[in-house]
Amino acid sequence: MQDRDERILKHIGLYRVSLRAVIEELFFEGKSCDHVIQRLLDDGRIQAVEGLPDKLSYYQLTLRETRSRGIPKHRADPRGARLSEDLAILWFACMGKRPRPRLERKPLDKVFGRGPGMGVPHCRENLSETEQVIYRVRAAGPDTDDSRLLRDIEWWARSGLAHPQLGPYLLEQLYGFVILVEHPDRAQRLKELVQKREALSGIRIHIESVPGQLRLAAILRERKAKRVGLENKGTR
């Protein structure tokens, strides 16, 4: 198996799901990955799942592949209600201006112990060559009440500050919270609300909009068209 195949399989296992466009950006410099995806499908290492709007499919590892890798077999199960969260984290981690890779649970436990909320998704972002921050990530659905969301953040912060291992990282802003929502207007509104919450003063909180399932295919087409336009411009 080629080294690139292995990196793709690790990527899909880590993020639970991935998209063709994400794989092309990460591993093929934006070029087609059709031949590799088809080989991994034919070899029974990944599975394609339909059901996203605009006939968009996503990829998961097969049950056989999760077993061979010793990772939780539920990562090959139908994602159901977790799909929106998986896709939001995939986008946040892989499609931004800089990588913010998702983290597995075991390394977090080694640093923070079994602190509050360690079982939920986390990502890492390098702020500079010497500084990084660990984010606890929450993908908020469109029906999630903003007031409830802010109360949850405050509870996270209080619980974290009271934890002997996690508290110092929160105070130094080396551990923080990310809230992902679908629309930029909502993201801006939440940023303004967070600034007014005294209980959240001094806590690193990042709020960002990521495309939901309904807009995902259109956003991917726009990104591809923009990339092709820049490439054509560069060859003139």
Side-chain angles (χ1 to χ4, degrees):
M1 182 176 63
Q2 297 182 17
D3 177 65
R4 183 169 59 185
D5 290 7
E6 175 63 18
R7 288 184 285 125
I8 291 170
L9 292 168
K10 285 183 177 180
H11 160 77
I12 297 174
L14 176 63
Y15 290 96
R16 285 57 167 172
V17 303
S18 195
L19 301 167
R20 185 178 297 260
V22 175
I23 292 170
E24 288 176 346
E25 286 208 21
L26 293 181
F27 304 106
F28 293 83
E29 298 181 343
K31 297 178 176 61
S32 174
C33 65
D34 288 355
H35 60 296
V36 174
I37 291 296
Q38 191 59 54
R39 182 174 66 249
L40 295 176
L41 287 167
D42 292 341
D43 290 346
R45 312 198 73 170
I46 66 173
Q47 55 188 324
V49 184
E50 299 177 346
L52 290 173
D54 290 345
K55 299 181 179 180
L56 191 66
S57 296
Y58 61 92
Y59 300 99
Q60 291 179 261
L61 297 184
T62 59
L63 179 60
R64 187 188 75 184
E65 189 67 20
T66 63
R67 286 173 172 167
S68 71
R69 293 177 173 275
I71 63 177
K73 63 181 182 179
H74 63 74
R75 297 188 189 182
D77 293 342
R79 300 309 296 164
R82 300 296 296 270
L83 179 59
S84 292
E85 177 185 74
D86 293 337
L87 291 171
I89 295 171
L90 176 72
W91 191 278
F92 172 75
C94 301
M95 301 294 271
K97 293 181 179 179
R98 53 187 175 187
R100 296 174 285 201
R102 185 167 183 166
L103 300 173
E104 294 283 11
R105 173 72 183 269
K106 288 184 180 179
L108 292 169
D109 286 346
K110 289 182 180 179
V111 176
F112 303 116
R114 291 191 172 272
M118 286 297 106
V120 303
H122 284 72
C123 289
R124 183 189 77 241
E125 181 173 14
N126 292 329
L127 303 178
S128 67
E129 292 184 359
T130 59
E131 185 180 24
Q132 68 176 16
V133 59
I134 305 299
Y135 285 121
R136 173 178 176 165
V137 184
R138 168 82 175 270
D143 297 327
T144 305
D145 180 73
D146 286 350
S147 297
R148 172 61 185 273
L149 190 58
L150 290 171
R151 289 196 298 271
D152 288 348
I153 300 173
E154 290 180 345
W155 185 88
W156 296 349
R158 287 195 302 271
S159 300
L161 288 169
H163 191 270
Q165 290 167 273
L166 188 57
Y169 286 88
L170 269 168
L171 289 172
E172 294 294 326
Q173 295 196 347
L174 300 177
Y175 183 97
F177 307 106
V178 163
I179 306 297
L180 303 177
V181 296
E182 292 186 15
H183 295 288
D185 289 346
R186 186 182 183 194
Q188 182 58 39
R189 183 171 67 249
L190 281 168
K191 290 177 184 178
E192 294 169 358
L193 291 172
V194 164
Q195 291 177 353
K196 297 177 181 179
R197 296 270 179 156
E198 185 175 349
L200 298 176
S201 176
I203 302 297
R204 183 185 291 276
I205 299 172
H206 178 75
I207 301 171
E208 186 170 317
S209 62
V210 296
Q213 292 187 35
L214 292 176
R215 298 175 55 240
L216 185 56
I219 296 291
L220 290 173
R221 287 194 295 269
E222 290 174 7
R223 285 175 68 100
K224 184 174 183 178
K226 183 177 180 180
R227 183 177 65 246
V228 171
L230 291 173
E231 290 173 353
N232 291 339
K233 185 177 179 180
T235 59
R236 291 174 185 171

